[in-house]
Amino acid sequence: MDTILNVTGLTGGYTPRRSVLHDIDFELRAGEMVGLIGLNGAGKSTTIKHILGLMHPHQGEVKVAGVTLEEAPQQYRSSFAYVPETPLLFDELTVEEHLRLSAMAYQVPEERFQLEAARLLEQYQMTPKRKAFASHLSKGMKQKVMIMSALLASPRLYIIDEPFLGLDPLGIRSLLEQLVAVKKGGAAILMSSHILSTVETYCDRFIVIHQGRIAAQGDLDAIRKAAGLSQGGGTLEDAFYRLVAGGEQ
């Protein structure tokens, strides 16, 4: 399978003198969903910021679709879509205008935009709000706009940070169903979430990050083995607890 995201020897942080991340190595392949999990402050957001190009590595490199940000900035940025934990919208743009802005940024053809925008608005129960300004939306509705904008772009890589915060049950179900669909279509998905039961159900592999280092990665059996559990002996949450807290169930 094609490698969509490749993180190699990533060491980095907010200041040159102090690294938050230490020698991070992982990859995402086409057609898989990978869960990035860890405690608050473990380095998940810092890792994501390096992938987004918002931070520059002290050492190592990040490649998306085979290129680094320095080699091909436009190709790099157009290969992924990002859904942040806190929705970021323009107060004076409507829901529909945000979708159109995303379509323009990712060069989505007009005919496809019309069809996909209508479908997404219906799927996320946002059709009645299509003309509403972002400033008049609830946090959950704003999150839906971020999600719809990412899905409309149809990139090769989705980076999703705590996507379920603020979503109603129908919104969560719609998002998970859509992620399964885009994964089957060949996209790669990196999802960071504290809801480990959902991560376990939907993700193919897992990356456990602790104190800026990868404590374990692989499928559920590999995570169990790293945590000292027998094959089939415990949930992702059980293994995670052992890895980050040294606990025993």
Side-chain angles (χ1 to χ4, degrees), residues 78-227:
S78 65
S79 295
F80 67 80
Y82 171 52
V83 179
E85 177 180 353
T86 302
L88 301 170
L89 301 178
F90 298 99
D91 286 344
E92 296 182 358
L93 291 184
T94 67
V95 170
E96 193 171 55
E97 287 168 341
H98 276 94
L99 295 179
R100 182 168 289 280
L101 184 64
S102 180
M104 292 170 61
Y106 286 88
Q107 299 181 329
V108 178
E110 177 65 22
E111 183 177 353
R112 179 167 160 263
F113 163 72
Q114 293 291 345
L115 291 172
E116 286 297 298
R119 183 185 65 79
L120 289 166
L121 287 165
E122 182 69 22
Q123 182 176 357
Y124 285 90
Q125 297 83 43
M126 289 290 287
T127 302
K129 295 289 185 180
R130 56 193 286 268
K131 297 295 185 182
F133 290 105
S135 58
H136 298 161
L137 301 177
S138 68
K139 180 181 178 181
M141 289 181 178
K142 289 179 180 178
Q143 187 72 335
K144 287 182 179 182
V145 176
M146 297 294 295
I147 291 166
M148 290 188 295
S149 297
L151 292 170
L152 184 67
S154 297
R156 301 190 68 189
L157 170 66
Y158 291 86
I159 303 167
I160 307 179
D161 191 5
E162 294 293 347
F164 309 120
L165 296 180
L167 287 184
D168 54 52
L170 283 177
I172 292 173
R173 182 174 179 178
S174 292
L175 173 58
L176 290 170
E177 288 177 349
Q178 194 69 40
L179 291 179
V180 170
V182 298
K183 185 182 81 165
K184 288 181 179 178
I189 303 162
L190 180 66
M191 181 170 69
S192 174
S193 176
H194 289 301
I195 307 176
L196 297 187
S197 58
T198 301
V199 172
E200 179 178 348
T201 300
Y202 285 89
C203 290
D204 305 291
R205 294 191 294 112
F206 314 94
I207 300 166
V208 181
I209 189 167
H210 185 54
Q211 297 179 348
R213 301 179 186 275
I214 292 181
Q217 65 175 309
D219 62 14
L220 184 53
D221 281 336
I223 302 300
R224 286 173 177 144
K225 183 177 180 181

Side-chain angles (χ1 to χ4, degrees), residues 10-16 18-21 46 50 55-59:
L10 175 61
T11 297
Y14 296 88
T15 63
R18 183 180 179 186
S19 295
V20 175
L21 303 176
T46 307
H50 278 85
M55 298 178 69
H56 296 286
H58 298 165
Q59 295 179 18

